[in-house]
């Protein structure tokens, strides 16, 4: 390692920048973390990481294995060491405050938060077949999955062309799919996002390929703008904290219902808990985060009087009648890049389900003429990122 300080700074930016920003960038904290990381790199991280890579990946690897490596551990340990002295540093600068509240606040902003990842694992299901008829072509987990057997399957996938230019499915709310069986049979899918991705392979020679479908219930008096995503944005804590703590202005059901009746909006949202979001950074972190986590819009939560479900669960909201709205998670169909590296999931997705009686209430609140089954379908032969179009 020719320049440990430069590598340390890169590690801090890559793994810790979101939490440092969320903490307000306390003076000197980033510099102290970089110093700790550089010291660790020169002492033990480089040989340990080399041993990890030898054990977990083939020598001809082109990517790091899906594991928590020594470099990440060093960055996290350095942050905790440096943050432990924050209060003393502020005191030396003449800034004094209540010790307990200061420590609690600093920890909340800087800690590595596993809660979203744990809930995502609890919400994980085998890949469901629930999706509108117009998207049934996407049930093939990867139309290029057979390329390793030298079968030339079509690209882009057959069926994609029929919806590629659509921004909404015909039929409004009637176009949404219903769960066929299982514990949520009859529930309505008001949100869906799924990515199909395979890496470039050396043998047989194939480029990376990428498909992403997104579906969301929208309330709109006119057709949404082409090229936009049928999903809004929301904090993932809608699943864990009462709405009165997150959006006090929307806690009255009548106010929320009027908002849904009159304002153009996406009623399903992409949250900041996934590794792919509509913004560049998010304030939480944690190993095991899924690619996407969906949630209902805050106006839906308020209009239907929903609260986070009690007990140990995934992403679930309830009302007086019981469980009312959930987000399911899935990933699978492992593929390789031809280098004997760890297999990667070709499929990752999430959907949003609502109980039938509440869907009827929500549809009637929107108004039949304003219901839209918003749609976005994209494909790319090669992708370097997961940038999403802007929400409508």
């Amino acid at each position: 390692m020719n320049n440990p300080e430069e590598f340390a700074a890169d590690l801090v930016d890559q793994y810790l920048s979101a939490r440092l920003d969320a903490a307000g960038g306390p003076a000197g904290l980033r510099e102290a973390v970089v110093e700790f990381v550089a010291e660790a790199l020169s002492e033990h991280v480089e040989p340990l990481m080399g041993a990890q890579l030898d054990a977990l990946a083939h020598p001809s690897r082109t990517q790091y294995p899906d594991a928590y490596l020594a470099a990440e551990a060093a960055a996290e340990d350095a942050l905790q060491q440096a943050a432990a002295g924050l209060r003393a540093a502020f005191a030396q600068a003449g800034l004094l405050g209540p010790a307990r509240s200061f420590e609690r606040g600093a920890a909340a902003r800087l800690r590595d938060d596993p809660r979203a990842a744990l809930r995502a694992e609890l919400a994980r299901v085998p890949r469901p077949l629930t999706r509108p008829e117009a998207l049934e072509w996407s049930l093939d987990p990867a139309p290029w999955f057979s390329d390793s057997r030298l079968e030339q399957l079509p690209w882009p996938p057959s069926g994609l062309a029929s919806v590629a230019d659509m921004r909404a499915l015909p039929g409004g709310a009637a176009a949404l799919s219903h769960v066929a069986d299982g514990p949520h049979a009859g529930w309505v899918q008001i949100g869906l996002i799924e990515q199909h991705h395979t890496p470039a392979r050396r043998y047989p020679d194939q480029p990376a390929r990428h498909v992403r479908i997104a579906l969301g219930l929208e309330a709109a008096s006119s057709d949404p703008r082409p090229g936009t995503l049928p999903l809004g944005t929301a904090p993932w804590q809608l699943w864990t904290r009462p709405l009165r703590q997150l959006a006090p202005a929307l806690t009255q059901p009548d106010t929320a219902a009027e908002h849904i009746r009159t304002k153009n909006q996406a009623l399903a949202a992409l949250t900041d808990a996934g590794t792919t979001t509509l913004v560049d950074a998010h304030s939480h972190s944690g190993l095991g985060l899924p690619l996407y986590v969906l949630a209902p819009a805050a106006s839906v939560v308020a209009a239907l009087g929903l609260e986070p479900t009690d007990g140990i669960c995934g992403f679930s909201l309830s009302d007086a009648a019981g469980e009312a709205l959930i987000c399911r998670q899935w990933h699978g169909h492992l593929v390789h890049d031809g280098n004997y590296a760890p297999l990667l999931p070709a499929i990752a997705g999430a959907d949003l389900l609502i109980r039938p009686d509440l869907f009827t209430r929500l549809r009637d609140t929107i108004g039949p003429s304003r219901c839209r089954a918003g749609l976005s379908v994209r494909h790319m032969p090669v992708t370097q990122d997961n940038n999403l179009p802007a929400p409508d």
Side-chain angles (χ1 to χ4, degrees):
M1 191 177 299
N2 295 329
N3 192 329
E5 290 76 16
E6 183 177 335
F7 187 39
D10 289 341
L11 288 175
V12 170
D13 289 341
Q14 182 176 356
Y15 297 130
L16 305 176
S17 60
R19 279 185 281 164
L20 290 171
D21 290 344
L29 179 59
R30 181 184 182 279
E31 291 75 12
V33 173
V34 170
E35 184 177 335
F36 280 131
V37 174
E39 182 179 332
L41 289 173
S42 62
E43 292 182 357
H44 65 271
V45 170
E46 187 173 7
L48 177 56
M49 191 163 176
Q52 290 174 325
L53 293 176
D54 289 342
L56 297 172
H58 190 271
S60 64
R61 60 186 173 266
T62 58
Q63 59 189 29
Y64 282 162
D66 183 18
Y68 190 57
L69 300 175
E72 295 171 84
E76 185 65 39
D77 184 60
L79 176 63
Q80 300 308 321
Q81 288 187 62
L86 264 183
R87 185 164 162 266
F90 275 105
Q92 289 177 346
L95 300 174
L96 299 175
R100 183 173 296 178
S101 61
F102 177 89
E103 297 290 350
R104 184 184 297 116
R109 292 188 295 271
L110 291 172
R111 69 187 176 195
D112 189 31
D113 188 350
R115 291 175 296 176
L118 291 172
R119 283 185 174 261
E121 191 60 28
L122 290 170
R124 188 177 173 190
V125 298
R127 184 180 180 229
L129 304 181
T130 313
R131 61 197 61 205
E133 182 178 351
L135 295 177
E136 286 185 353
W137 57 268
S138 65
L139 287 173
D140 185 342
W144 57 95
F145 195 71
S146 301
D147 285 349
S148 60
R149 298 191 293 272
L150 301 181
E151 297 177 16
Q152 296 302 313
L153 297 181
W155 176 260
S158 299
L160 186 146
S162 64
V163 293
D165 296 327
M166 286 187 183
R167 182 50 183 79
L169 292 173
L176 298 173
S177 185
H178 295 242
V179 179
D181 50 30
H184 297 98
W187 286 39
V188 185
Q189 185 184 67
I190 60 171
L192 167 68
I193 186 164
E194 186 176 73
Q195 173 181 283
H196 300 198
H197 176 75
T198 57
R201 287 202 303 249
R202 291 184 180 180
Y203 179 82
D205 188 19
Q206 288 287 357
R209 292 174 174 177
H210 179 104
V211 172
R212 195 209 63 235
I213 61 173
L215 174 81
L217 177 64
E218 296 176 290
S221 300
S222 57
D223 292 336
R225 289 183 291 113
T228 54
L229 198 70
L231 300 168
T233 59
W236 82 273
Q237 288 87 355
L238 278 172
W239 294 111
T240 61
R241 295 172 59 187
L243 187 64
R244 60 182 174 275
Q245 297 179 9
L246 298 173
L250 271 178
T251 53
Q252 296 301 316
D254 291 345
T255 302
E258 181 65 16
H259 190 264
I260 292 173
R261 267 193 297 268
T262 58
K263 303 295 184 182
N264 293 346
Q265 60 187 294
L267 300 178
L270 192 63
T271 75
D272 55 359
T275 56
T276 300
T277 69
L278 291 174
V279 293
D280 294 331
H282 39 279
S283 59
H284 73 280
S285 61
L287 289 172
L289 289 173
L291 192 63
Y292 306 110
V293 175
L294 298 178
S299 56
V300 173
V301 178
L304 299 180
L306 305 182
E307 295 278 343
T309 300
D310 290 335
I312 298 173
C313 63
F315 302 113
S316 175
L317 299 175
S318 294
D319 62 6
E323 194 173 47
L325 200 152
I326 67 167
C327 171
R328 302 187 293 186
Q329 296 285 323
W330 61 87
H331 63 268
H333 293 285
L334 301 180
V335 296
H336 67 87
D337 64 358
N339 289 303
Y340 302 99
L343 300 180
L344 301 170
I347 298 292
D351 68 359
L352 199 61
L353 304 180
I354 189 171
R355 209 172 64 212
D357 61 309
L358 293 181
F359 175 70
T360 300
R361 279 180 55 191
L362 181 58
R363 182 194 60 201
D364 292 345
T365 300
I366 299 169
S369 65
R370 284 173 38 82
C371 278
R372 299 283 190 277
L375 181 69
S376 170
V377 177
R378 297 183 65 188
H379 80 276
M380 290 163 276
V382 178
T383 181
Q384 298 297 326
D385 54 49
N386 285 322
N387 289 336
L388 298 174
D392 190 28

